[in-house]
Amino acid sequence: MVLQAALGLEADVPSGKITVVPTFAQAYGPLTLKGLRVADMPLQITIKADATASVLAAEALTVFHERS
C-alpha cells in the first residue's frame, strides 16, 4: 500500500486503465518495478529522481500520468 500511494498507482481493470501519478516518488526514486501484472498483463514502472514516470505496459492497457 505504501508503494501504491507513493506511485499514485490506480488500476481500473474492467476499463483497462492504469493511472501513475508519483506523489512521493522523490523519496523513493530512482526506482524500477518489474514483474507487476494488471488483469494478467505485464506492467513495468520506472520512477526517476525528478518524480517523472515511464510505464511499459501491454497494448491493451491505457496509461494515464494525470488523474482523470
Side-chain angles (χ1 to χ4, degrees):
M1 283 210 148
V2 171
L3 195 54
Q4 183 179 359
L7 297 176
L9 181 61
E10 294 179 9
D12 180 352
V13 175
S15 299
K17 297 177 185 176
I18 302 296
T19 302
V20 179
V21 183
T23 310
F24 304 107
Q26 288 176 323
Y28 300 100
L31 172 71
T32 298
L33 299 167
K34 298 178 181 179
L36 301 172
R37 300 196 70 77
V38 173
D40 205 32
M41 292 179 272
L43 178 69
Q44 177 177 312
I45 302 170
T46 299
I47 306 296
K48 298 177 187 170
D50 65 358
T52 58
S54 65
V55 179
L56 295 174
E59 288 184 26
L61 294 173
T62 303
V63 178
F64 295 93
H65 292 284
E66 294 182 10
R67 302 236 184 266
S68 52

